Amino acid sequence: MGEAREVMDRLTDAVTTHADLKVFGELYAEDAVAFTPDEGELRGRDAIVEYWRAMTEAVPEARFEVLHSYEAGDTAIDEGIFSGRNTGPLELPNGETLPPTQKEIRIRGVDIATVKDGRIVDYRLYFDERDFLGQLGLMPDEPF
């Protein structure tokens, strides 16, 4: 196992099993960049740690089922299913906070992390935000 895989596995553990803001801060470089479907581009460790804080508070007992796991050089890629119950407030990109829905979610997604000197410098998260919000009951019933 290479460095990228080790760091990605630590991130997955921190998001699901042992949520800890200090660990998130240790995993990302100070000038890291992340791209997420719900928040767009996040620049800097502090912004990324804040993103994970909000996610782990919204779904505090999350699980991640790895479907595919890869490592190529300095990059690790995971495809899997993120699941759990929304028991904490959900912070929206517009600054609003929604109360917990108490609903179960099960979202398929892909994480890509590029690692330099033991820290993530570039992170990309892909999941279907409409599916996520729909499972929480937050999408209108009207088709597009």
Side-chain angles (χ1 to χ4, degrees):
M1 173 175 25
E3 181 178 63
R5 175 83 267 142
E6 181 183 327
V7 171
M8 178 71 97
D9 290 348
R10 286 182 60 212
L11 175 62
T12 299
D13 183 66
V15 171
T16 58
T17 309
H18 304 101
D20 184 339
L21 296 181
K22 183 179 176 191
V23 172
F24 291 128
E26 292 169 357
L27 292 174
Y28 286 90
E30 188 174 333
D31 60 348
V33 177
F35 297 89
T36 69
D38 48 344
E39 293 287 334
E41 183 177 330
L42 303 169
R43 292 199 158 275
R45 176 189 301 143
D46 293 344
I48 298 167
V49 169
E50 176 59 22
Y51 176 82
W52 287 123
R53 182 207 55 79
M55 183 64 76
T56 57
E57 285 183 7
V59 186
E61 295 180 9
R63 296 166 304 284
F64 187 73
E65 174 190 347
V66 176
L67 300 175
H68 299 281
S69 180
Y70 306 97
E71 182 178 38
D74 62 359
T75 301
I77 303 167
D78 283 343
E79 176 186 6
I81 307 221
F82 178 85
S83 60
R85 180 180 298 274
N86 172 225
T87 59
L90 185 64
E91 296 179 20
L92 301 177
N94 66 4
E96 291 181 47
T97 301
L98 300 176
T101 65
Q102 302 302 323
K103 295 191 177 193
E104 290 285 331
I105 59 158
R106 186 172 165 81
I107 307 296
R108 189 175 190 132
V110 174
D111 297 81
I112 304 169
T114 300
V115 175
K116 301 258 193 262
D117 299 323
R119 293 183 186 240
I120 300 169
V121 295
D122 185 80
Y123 178 77
R124 295 165 191 276
L125 173 62
Y126 298 97
F127 64 87
D128 185 335
E129 188 175 10
R130 287 185 50 80
D131 187 28
F132 175 60
L133 294 174
Q135 289 182 42
L136 292 174
L138 301 174
M139 289 296 296
D141 292 333
E142 305 166 8
F144 283 89

